[in-house]
Amino acid sequence: MREHLRMTADASHNEQEHAMNFMNVDYSTKIPNNVNLSEDRQVLKALEGWHPGYMDWWSDMGPEGFQQSLVYLRTAYSVDPRGWAKFDYVKMPEYRWGILLAPQEENRVIPFGENFGKPAWQEVPGEHRATLRRLIVIQGDTEPASVEQQRHLGKTAPSLYDLRNLFQVNVEEGRHLWAMVYLLQKYFGRDGREEADDLLRRRSGDADSPRMLGAFNEATPDWLSFFMFTYFTDRDGKMQLHSLAQSGFDPLSRTCRFMLTEEAHHMFVGETGISRVVQRTCEAMKEAGITDPNDVAKVRALGVIDLPTIQKKLHLHYSLSLDLFGSEVSTNAANAFNAGIKGRYKETQIEDDHQLKSATYPVLKLVDGVIKRVDEPALTALNMRLRDDYTQDCVKGMLRWNKIISLAGFHFKLTLPNVAFHRQIGEFRDIHATPEGVLIDDATWNKRKGDWLPSTDDGDFIASLMEPVTEAGQYASWISPPKVGIDNKPGDFEYVKIDT
Ligand code: BYC
């Protein structure tokens, strides 16, 4: 990411000045941007026309309550990686949602596919218009969906620090919606504008007009789910954005590159959130002299979330997020790659022909009732490859959480379930498997699923802990304070001034 944004060291002073001006965001128009909107009247008009609908959506479906509170938020004022964000108190509806693209790389070429090595497209290539639009719409659809899923959480935040992080994530997902809407309105004419309107019409979990991808129609009922979502589902976002950042369609690439800068904080919220929950549980067990982390009743009596329940939530969110990678073998993915529209994770760092003419990739498949690795053409196995990259990325957080547990002296390990567990998309959607990957029949699944996925009782227990804590520097019983404050603020900093 930084590689892309970093300016070449040998650029002359003037070039550097020019680049800096370009990177700074123009706040003189209603919609802050670094794409020279003031000289692109048609697109500015389309975006200004879309703005009131967005504000209505934000007020109907954005965070419930707190709209008049002052929140200590970061706002992007530049896309320079050395200093792109500014922190200040802002009322959420007054947040400056803007259009920010990473700087254009001179002479950038399409890094993969049939058009490998040709100049990157600055306009939509006609023959790939439909594929491109579909991917942008799907990406755009997830952004408001997550805000809708999280809209009730403010009422039960475990601290002002967490409340602020929730709102930061929410406003930035809102900005990511703007990012996709800009691409639709600037490059796709009338149908782009219609798609932009539809992005405000669909609703997470709505029976008639749901969001496009499965995980974005699930509830986020409590803060443990929020942390799991930002760890696992936002990480799918990271992988997908990385793949789209490779795109031969340069405006999409530049948009995604900047989105990734913001996205990192969302996963930080997830990773540290789960760490803090695990930490608090371990401390409470130690203080109470509990040696068996599986003694759920005893642990729950302490007002903390037992490790087996954390494991169940992890099973749920990881498996839902795996579904977001689509089918293991996909001609859609192959076509998008061939076209030069969606690449692989870290495409430019991979050493191969970038066309996958004869390469194969091992794909997990169900063969005669057994899960096996089967070599498939690498081109159709791109979703599987990205999913594998994702799994590797997920493991990092697990190691940190498990370290907290082992340092506290407990024998318990959080683990990722097998990829065949609890799937609704792809190769394993019609079977049942245990978290260890053992295939089981329907009856066994129905009997055992409460051992592996959060049950109603588990949900009720977690809900019972979700009491808001609104005093600066105070934290709910079930979560540890963070190690450092946001923007290096002290522990008792008032991140949200609720009553203003
Ligand atoms: N749910 O060939 P297939 C984020 C559909 S998250 C419902 O298997 P393909 C964020 C698929 O659309 C990242 N439907 O898969 C995170 C297709 O339908 P059509 C979001 C699904 O196309 C947190 C059919 O099944 N970005 O940013 O290779 C907070 C066969 O498809 C699902 C992207 O996903 C599903 N899970 O890959 C905020 C990137 N999976 O066309 C934000 C853009 C598949 O036959 N999207 N289907 O009607 C893509 O790259 C691809 O569309 C997918 C699917 C990876 C999603």
Side-chain angles (χ1 to χ4, degrees):
M1 178 64 214
R2 283 181 177 250
E3 248 56 57
H4 289 297
L5 290 174
R6 198 185 301 135
M7 289 187 306
T8 48
D10 58 356
S12 74
H13 182 70
N14 279 348
E15 276 169 341
Q16 223 161 15
E17 286 262 283
H18 175 76
M20 286 303 290
N21 288 340
F22 174 72
M23 287 196 291
N24 284 326
V25 178
D26 175 5
Y27 276 93
S28 71
T29 47
K30 197 164 166 190
I31 298 153
N33 69 91
N34 70 347
V35 291
N36 220 358
L37 269 187
S38 55
E39 283 174 27
D40 198 347
R41 302 311 296 182
Q42 212 185 344
V43 177
L44 181 61
K45 219 173 120 213
L47 284 168
E48 284 179 351
W50 186 81
H51 193 184
Y54 173 81
M55 292 311 295
D56 288 347
W57 167 81
W58 180 267
S59 106
D60 291 349
M61 298 309 293
E64 208 181 291
F66 308 99
Q67 294 289 346
Q68 292 312 309
S69 305
L70 284 168
V71 187
Y72 192 69
L73 292 176
R74 72 174 181 190
T75 305
Y77 68 97
S78 153
V79 289
D80 181 349
R82 287 167 301 186
W84 60 275
K86 190 172 75 182
F87 286 86
D88 208 345
Y89 282 107
V90 185
K91 289 183 184 171
M92 280 186 282
E94 289 162 20
Y95 184 81
R96 301 299 306 272
W97 285 285
I99 312 291
L100 308 174
L101 271 63
Q104 188 169 348
E105 265 175 39
E106 239 176 277
N107 303 324
R108 180 169 178 263
V109 294
I110 301 167
F112 58 89
E114 281 165 352
N115 296 302
F116 177 67
K118 293 186 187 159
W121 298 295
Q122 299 307 324
E123 294 296 331
V124 175
E127 69 275 33
H128 304 312
R129 193 172 187 279
T131 312
L132 201 46
R133 196 186 66 196
R134 177 178 162 273
L135 292 182
I136 294 171
V137 168
I138 294 179
Q139 180 63 48
D141 192 68
T142 61
E143 315 289 359
S146 67
V147 176
E148 291 163 5
Q149 288 171 297
Q150 295 160 14
R151 69 184 300 252
H152 304 293
L153 291 175
K155 287 180 291 188
T156 56
S159 70
L160 292 182
Y161 167 89
D162 292 287
L163 188 61
R164 176 251 166 236
N165 282 350
L166 168 72
F167 295 155
Q168 183 73 60
V169 169
N170 292 161
V171 293
E172 285 175 353
E173 299 301 7
R175 204 198 70 69
H176 294 175
L177 169 62
W178 275 92
M180 292 301 124
V181 164
Y182 166 72
L183 294 178
L184 288 169
Q185 294 193 331
K186 178 160 173 70
Y187 296 99
F188 292 88
R190 190 180 168 168
D191 45 331
R193 289 195 292 278
E194 283 168 9
E195 293 283 15
D197 291 343
D198 283 347
L199 287 170
L200 294 177
R201 244 193 304 274
R202 286 185 288 272
R203 292 281 183 272
S204 174
D206 189 287
D208 300 323
S209 183
R211 291 292 172 185
M212 298 172 88
L213 300 179
F216 292 91
N217 288 303
E218 299 284 332
T220 309
D222 56 63
W223 277 78
L224 183 54
S225 279
F226 172 66
F227 294 137
M228 291 287 174
F229 184 96
T230 42
Y231 188 79
F232 288 108
T233 308
D234 277 85
R235 193 170 305 275
D236 166 56
K238 167 185 166 181
M239 305 311 284
Q240 301 290 351
L241 288 174
H242 262 287
S243 306
L244 294 173
Q246 303 290 340
S247 184
F249 178 51
D250 210 37
L252 176 61
S253 163
R254 292 170 55 203
T255 304
C256 292
R257 269 149 48 196
F258 186 65
M259 286 163 74
L260 279 163
T261 328
E262 291 166 311
E263 201 65 35
H265 174 68
H266 305 188
M267 284 172 293
F268 162 87
V269 169
E271 186 192 318
T272 53
I274 298 169
S275 291
R276 290 161 54 214
V277 177
V278 169
Q279 174 87 41
R280 183 68 204 109
T281 300
C282 290
E283 279 167 12
M285 288 195 297
K286 258 180 114 171
E287 280 158 23
I290 294 175
T291 50
D292 178 10
N294 291 304
D295 193 340
V296 170
K298 256 191 180 169
V299 178
R300 287 187 178 183
L302 304 173
V304 294
I305 307 175
D306 51 286
L307 299 179
T309 299
I310 296 174
Q311 175 70 71
K312 287 188 199 178
K313 282 270 196 189
L314 188 158
H315 281 157
L316 176 67
H317 287 271
Y318 176 70
S319 57
L320 287 172
S321 302
L322 289 182
D323 282 341
L324 294 172
F325 289 84
S327 304
E328 289 80 351
V329 175
S330 163
T331 48
N332 281 346
N335 291 340
F337 184 86
N338 266 339
I341 284 176
K342 185 180 174 192
R344 289 170 291 178
Y345 182 55
K346 301 195 170 160
E347 180 73 46
T348 48
Q349 293 168 32
I350 301 173
E351 288 191 11
D352 65 7
D353 66 352
H354 299 284
Q355 293 189 313
L356 303 176
K357 282 198 168 131
S358 53
T360 59
Y361 189 84
V363 172
L364 281 180
K365 289 190 125 183
L366 205 57
V367 183
D368 300 329
V370 183
I371 300 171
K372 282 195 173 149
R373 277 190 190 273
V374 180
D375 278 344
E376 287 282 338
L379 200 51
T380 49
L382 286 164
N383 287 347
M384 173 83 192
R385 179 183 177 126
L386 191 62
R387 203 185 73 193
D388 283 346
D389 290 335
Y390 167 78
T391 298
Q392 271 186 33
D393 214 55
C394 286
V395 167
K396 293 177 197 156
M398 309 275 306
L399 295 177
R400 293 207 185 103
W401 306 329
N402 283 329
K403 198 158 171 208
I404 296 172
I405 300 172
S406 64
L407 279 177
F410 294 104
H411 295 290
F412 190 99
K413 236 185 178 154
L414 293 167
T415 52
L416 295 176
N418 188 282
V419 293
F421 173 77
H422 187 237
R423 299 298 306 282
Q424 275 135 51
I425 299 276
E427 195 62 26
F428 306 112
R429 67 174 186 269
D430 296 326
I431 54 107
H432 290 304
T434 67
E436 292 75 34
V438 178
L439 299 184
I440 50 174
D441 59 21
D442 287 2
T444 314
W445 171 258
N446 287 330
K447 213 164 73 196
R448 299 287 316 274
K449 71 178 176 205
D451 297 341
W452 300 319
L453 292 168
S455 63
T456 314
D457 276 358
D458 297 327
D460 290 348
F461 168 68
I462 297 176
S464 75
L465 295 180
M466 298 292 124
E467 289 293 328
V469 175
T470 54
E471 211 172 302
Q474 299 297 308
Y475 290 82
S477 67
W478 54 271
I479 190 165
S480 291
K483 289 207 174 75
V484 278
I486 293 293
D487 193 28
N488 282 321
K489 291 296 176 207
D492 59 353
F493 185 71
E494 193 177 6
Y495 288 100
V496 183
K497 296 185 180 184
I498 294 179
D499 302 312
T500 44

